[in-house]
Amino acid sequence: PDEIFFVDNSGYALEELDVLGELAKATDRRLRVLSITPSLKDCKSKPYGELDIQDQAHLAISSCNDDDAIVWKATGRLFVPNIQELMGSFEADAGLYCDLRQVPLIGNALGGNPWFDMRLWAYRSGFYAEHLFDVKNRIPLIDELAMYRHVCSLIASHEKLVPRFKIQPEFIGHCAANNSDYSAASVMFKNALRRFTRKCAPFIWI
């Protein structure tokens, strides 16, 4: 990436991250740090808070980039070893590149279903401005299911988006919901299954 944004909602100055900015310069990248102070009375859910951060990041990013700028959002607590490979799979004319899950009959056996995975997704700045900015306030009770439905409605209206990653993302870290380790055997099994279906049965959104 040409530029890295670190955005959080602690409200602190985060001067401690200045050293990372120097490291970024050494690789011809720019690090920008943005810390916002959220309105706790308006925060209705964890996804609402995440999207609030994303909206603030969008305003900062769009102020210095055009509508074709490609933005990757990654949850800060996670390391994504194959992020470069994922970035390379972004289609040239796509507006949104994300990972939806919808598996008939199994319920929540493999986690939330249907689901918009908010840990990692990508978009063009102009697409976000038109279809996703402030969606947290336009959809009652915003969560991963509501985001799934919203993105599906965009697919139905023929907007250019790619609803499934072509490559299985790899995560190192812990799940926010239950603190489970992403290196656990059960998670590795699910990842292997998802990796197989992406290649051999891409119509199955596990």
Side-chain angles (χ1 to χ4, degrees), residues 50-51 54 71-74 96-99 116-123 128 132 147 165:
E50 285 192 46
L51 289 168
Q54 196 65 33
V71 179
W72 280 83
K73 181 270 184 187
L96 175 67
Y97 188 31
C98 61
D99 223 23
F116 177 97
D117 194 335
M118 297 185 69
R119 295 173 299 178
L120 182 70
W121 47 295
Y123 56 84
Y128 189 94
L132 296 171
M147 281 291 289
F165 287 149

Side-chain angles (χ1 to χ4, degrees), residues 79-98:
F79 175 54
V80 188
N82 63 339
I83 186 64
Q84 292 287 354
E85 189 179 1
L86 284 156
M87 291 172 67
S89 67
F90 191 102
E91 293 187 7
D93 58 348
L96 175 67
Y97 188 31
C98 61

